[in-house]
Amino acid sequence: KGIGEFTAEYTMKVKLNTGKETEEFKSKRFVLASGARAIIPPIPGLQETGYLTSRTFFGEKFPEKKPWDSLIIIGGGIIGTLIARELAKYQLTVTLIEKEVDVAFGSTKANSGIIHAGYDDQPHTTKAQLCVRGNKLWPTLAQQLHIPFTQPGSLVIATNSEGYASLEALLQRGKQNHVPSLQLIDNPRILQRREPHLTPHAIAALY
């Protein structure tokens, strides 16, 4: 983990949180996947009325037996719309409010389309639990909503011993998070068969 910067055309490096810098690496394509967190809008009376965010919605404040009689969801991104869809299964009034002309106009619109496996999340956290669970739910959800969806897998590569150690740490973290079918491939020939366009400097990959 660290801060990446482009150093030339099709070239970048990462300054790791440890203070060290990676070697420069080249690629024709880079995927920029940014996260997001809930923003509390300045609506008069909101604090007095009380509210939940997408981070606290399924926590201890969620009723055990029956949800509320009515609910207003602010934000029509992927989180807001899916929460509305889930609550529509109950007998309650759900109102979805979106400030743009249509749903999915914010961060969701720029989503890279990657369904994360859960090996990078801190073990024993809500994020780790929901990431793995959500990954398993996606095939059924995609089928129900007629969303094009494939699961080709991913390769997190290492080109040196330091990177290999990071892969081993991710593997152990993934096992703690109960990520299924996670494996460390340290045979360059197998890697090249899996991905012919992989850099020849790759010595191992987490698959």
Side-chain angles (χ1 to χ4, degrees), residues 115 132-147 149-151:
I115 308 300
V132 176
R133 183 182 175 190
N135 187 289
K136 293 178 181 179
L137 293 174
W138 257 103
T140 301
L141 181 66
Q143 184 178 24
Q144 293 174 347
L145 298 179
H146 308 289
I147 301 173
F149 178 70
T150 59
Q151 291 179 292

Side-chain angles (χ1 to χ4, degrees), residues 60-156:
E60 58 184 15
K61 294 184 179 180
F62 190 86
E64 293 183 4
K65 295 183 179 180
K66 180 185 177 182
W68 305 268
D69 293 327
S70 63
L71 196 70
I72 296 175
I73 299 175
I74 302 175
I78 188 171
I79 295 177
T81 51
L82 282 178
I83 289 178
R85 181 178 185 269
E86 188 66 24
L87 289 175
K89 299 176 183 178
Y90 299 90
Q91 294 182 349
L92 74 161
T93 302
V94 180
T95 303
L96 181 68
I97 299 176
E98 170 57 49
K99 68 182 179 69
E100 302 293 349
V101 297
D102 202 352
V103 297
F105 251 62
S107 299
T108 301
K109 183 179 180 181
N111 192 292
S112 62
I114 296 174
I115 308 300
H116 292 276
Y119 54 77
D120 193 37
D121 300 311
Q122 190 66 33
H124 312 300
T125 61
T126 301
K127 184 178 180 181
Q129 295 172 2
L130 295 183
C131 188
V132 176
R133 183 182 175 190
N135 187 289
K136 293 178 181 179
L137 293 174
W138 257 103
T140 301
L141 181 66
Q143 184 178 24
Q144 293 174 347
L145 298 179
H146 308 289
I147 301 173
F149 178 70
T150 59
Q151 291 179 292
S154 65
L155 294 172
V156 183

